Amino acid sequence: MKVITILGATGSIGVNTLEIIRDNPADFEVYALTAHRNIELLYQQCLKFSPRYAVVADESLANKLSNDLKALDCQTIVLYGKEGLISVASADKVDMVMAAIVGIAGLAPTFAAVNKGKTILLANKEALVTAGEIFMRAAKQSNAMILPVDSEHNAIFQCLPDQDKHYDQLAISRIILTASGGPFREKSLGELKDITPDEACAHPNWQMGRKISVDSSTMMNKALEVIEAYWLFQVPVEKIEVLIHPQSIVHSMVEYHDGSFIAQMGSPDMKTPIGYAMYYPQRHKINVPKLDFTAKPLSFNALDGQRFALIPLVYDMLKRQDYAATIVLNAVNEVLVEAFLAEKIQYLEIIEYIERVLQELKLNKPETIDDVIAIDLKARRHVSVLLNTDKD
């Protein structure tokens, strides 16, 4: 039985993880569940899975959740804040950590788990996007196992040679990340001017949260995945390619020097990569829809770098090894997507402000996690000042 902490238990990744545990109760013990402010769902999860600990954002939420659980004689101990997250992620009893907190808030507890040599089921993009060099160095020193949960990186992981699961220049020609292209892949830039938040969140293939749905529509999600692949598989950025695949059936692939392509395919359901990571290196039955190859044809198209300008932007950062810029990119995008969802800026302004901040803000490469957090904060403040000034 594996003992697991789920960071971000009330998000879609956390919920799917718990569904797999529900279907396989003899294989996992839930040590801790964490949420930010969704204590209603966390309350139900605690009653169902009886974790030793639950963690929420602040003391007032912790007190409410603790009282509600005690009323039903649930023995779960409720902690709160960053210290609580770090505690349940790095506890000696824990074997694996599902790192599924969205945003920079997930960095510190995930890094604490890495330093303790845990098996990390990595769904938090920010760990590698903002601190890839620091994160992977720490994993090597502690012998932590990093298993990607993002469908694209999980697919690449499955397609790489078994011996080390990293880029092998003697064997591999390219790593190919597939992208659905989002809901606007066939629209011109001019047609995007008046896009609404609801339109941007209507992904054609995946059921996702609103922030990541907007990122998929702008292809920011794929830009961040290029950065993740660069660090996770230790691959030169020029060997990473993005290919538009509207059906989201081929989740990614690897081209070998002998002309072979190895691809991982499946229905667009996150339980498949989550289950693969949870049971690695074995494979286990996971309850997902079966793939029907006769249902629709598969198609692929080259990426339009002008239409999806964030992808070339990221390639340039990585070629220059400007790792501070990747932190700025992620932080500024989070602020801008929040502003767009609140209807404070227009859709195309997301890209415009990102490009503007990257030109204005030049920072040194981070050496520590504290440096990463400082750069993140500086970038958020910078774009917030611009928004307040421009919109007044």
Side-chain angles (χ1 to χ4, degrees):
M1 179 176 282
K2 297 175 182 178
V3 180
I4 184 170
T5 282
I6 303 176
L7 302 174
T10 59
S12 60
I13 297 294
V15 168
N16 280 318
T17 303
L18 286 171
E19 287 183 8
I20 292 172
I21 293 172
R22 179 202 62 197
D23 294 340
N24 303 276
D27 295 342
F28 300 94
E29 175 188 339
V30 179
Y31 181 81
L33 300 175
T34 86
H36 186 54
R37 307 195 71 85
N38 188 357
I39 63 171
E40 293 79 12
L41 179 52
L42 185 61
Y43 169 77
Q44 297 296 332
Q45 292 174 336
C46 288
L47 293 180
K48 183 176 291 187
F49 294 96
S50 301
R52 183 175 300 188
Y53 294 97
V55 185
V56 293
D58 58 45
E59 187 175 9
S60 62
L61 290 173
N63 289 336
K64 179 176 179 6
L65 179 60
S66 182
N67 291 334
D68 290 347
L69 291 172
K70 286 177 180 176
L72 291 181
D73 201 29
C74 178
Q75 302 302 309
T76 297
I77 299 168
V78 184
L79 308 175
Y80 64 90
K82 178 180 175 181
E83 293 76 14
L85 292 173
I86 290 173
S87 174
V88 300
S90 59
D92 290 341
K93 184 175 173 61
V94 172
D95 299 313
M96 62 171 53
V97 174
M98 171 57 80
I101 294 176
V102 175
I104 199 75
L107 181 56
T110 305
F111 192 66
V114 168
N115 283 330
K116 283 295 187 78
K118 307 298 184 185
T119 295
I120 311 296
L121 313 183
L122 190 63
N124 172 274
K125 293 181 181 300
E126 288 73 20
L128 293 177
V129 169
T130 66
E133 186 174 36
I134 301 166
F135 190 89
M136 295 307 293
R137 182 170 62 240
K140 184 176 182 179
Q141 290 172 349
S142 67
N143 290 318
M145 179 177 288
I146 311 298
L147 299 174
V149 169
D150 270 359
S151 60
E152 294 82 0
H153 301 90
N154 189 275
I156 293 167
F157 187 85
Q158 294 188 48
C159 295
L160 288 172
D162 288 335
Q163 57 268 29
D164 61 6
K165 294 296 185 182
H166 286 113
Y167 169 75
D168 178 353
Q169 63 177 347
L170 297 178
I172 295 170
S173 176
R174 286 183 297 166
I175 284 176
I176 301 171
L177 289 164
T178 56
S180 71
F184 309 137
R185 60 179 171 261
E186 296 180 2
K187 290 183 179 293
S188 68
L189 283 173
E191 293 176 290
L192 298 180
K193 183 177 182 297
D194 297 318
I195 289 296
T196 68
D198 285 343
E199 289 173 323
C201 291
H203 195 281
N205 300 334
W206 298 90
Q207 295 298 316
M208 304 183 293
R210 288 173 73 79
K211 192 268 180 184
I212 196 172
S213 295
V214 175
D215 283 350
S216 178
S217 73
T218 62
M219 291 279 275
M220 169 61 81
N221 198 41
K222 203 57 51 179
L224 300 180
E225 287 172 11
V226 170
I227 302 171
E228 287 183 89
Y230 173 80
W231 289 116
L232 190 62
F233 304 116
Q234 305 293 293
V235 56
V237 67
E238 60 270 16
K239 298 293 185 180
I240 303 171
E241 183 175 326
V242 176
L243 193 62
I244 301 296
H245 171 51
Q247 296 79 26
S248 297
I249 298 299
V250 175
H251 298 301
S252 279
M253 54 186 135
V254 174
E255 180 187 7
Y256 287 81
H257 283 309
D258 65 0
S260 300
F261 286 80
I262 298 180
Q264 190 269 337
M265 294 179 282
S267 297
D269 191 310
M270 283 305 298
K271 286 197 191 72
T272 297
I274 292 170
Y276 179 83
M278 290 174 73
Y279 280 96
Y280 181 81
Q282 285 79 36
R283 289 185 183 269
H284 191 82
K285 178 177 173 57
I286 303 295
N287 294 320
V288 296
K290 298 300 181 185
L291 181 60
D292 180 3
F293 282 99
T294 66
K296 53 186 174 183
L298 304 184
S299 61
F300 301 89
N301 303 100
L303 176 79
D304 182 344
Q306 289 187 322
R307 171 66 182 75
F308 296 113
L310 292 172
I311 305 293
L313 202 63
V314 160
Y315 276 93
D316 180 62
M317 290 176 189
L318 295 177
K319 287 176 182 176
R320 292 185 289 106
Q321 298 185 6
D322 187 354
Y323 304 142
T326 64
I327 304 171
V328 173
L329 173 72
N330 178 75
V332 169
N333 178 68
E334 285 189 13
V335 174
L336 293 171
V337 170
E338 184 178 340
F340 168 68
L341 291 172
E343 300 185 358
K344 295 178 180 178
I345 63 172
Q346 293 184 316
Y347 182 77
L348 289 178
E349 287 185 292
I350 297 174
I351 310 299
E352 292 170 6
Y353 273 107
I354 286 173
E355 292 176 336
R356 180 176 169 185
V357 174
L358 286 169
Q359 289 176 350
E360 294 177 357
L361 207 55
K362 304 296 183 183
L363 302 169
N364 294 328
K365 184 179 81 168
E367 300 295 340
T368 67
I369 294 298
D370 287 342
D371 291 343
V372 170
I373 294 171
I375 293 171
D376 176 270
L377 183 59
K378 185 173 291 188
R380 290 172 191 273
R381 287 174 175 168
H382 190 91
V383 72
S384 295
V385 168
L386 291 181
L387 288 175
N388 290 335
T389 303
D390 291 351
K391 300 304 176 181
D392 282 346

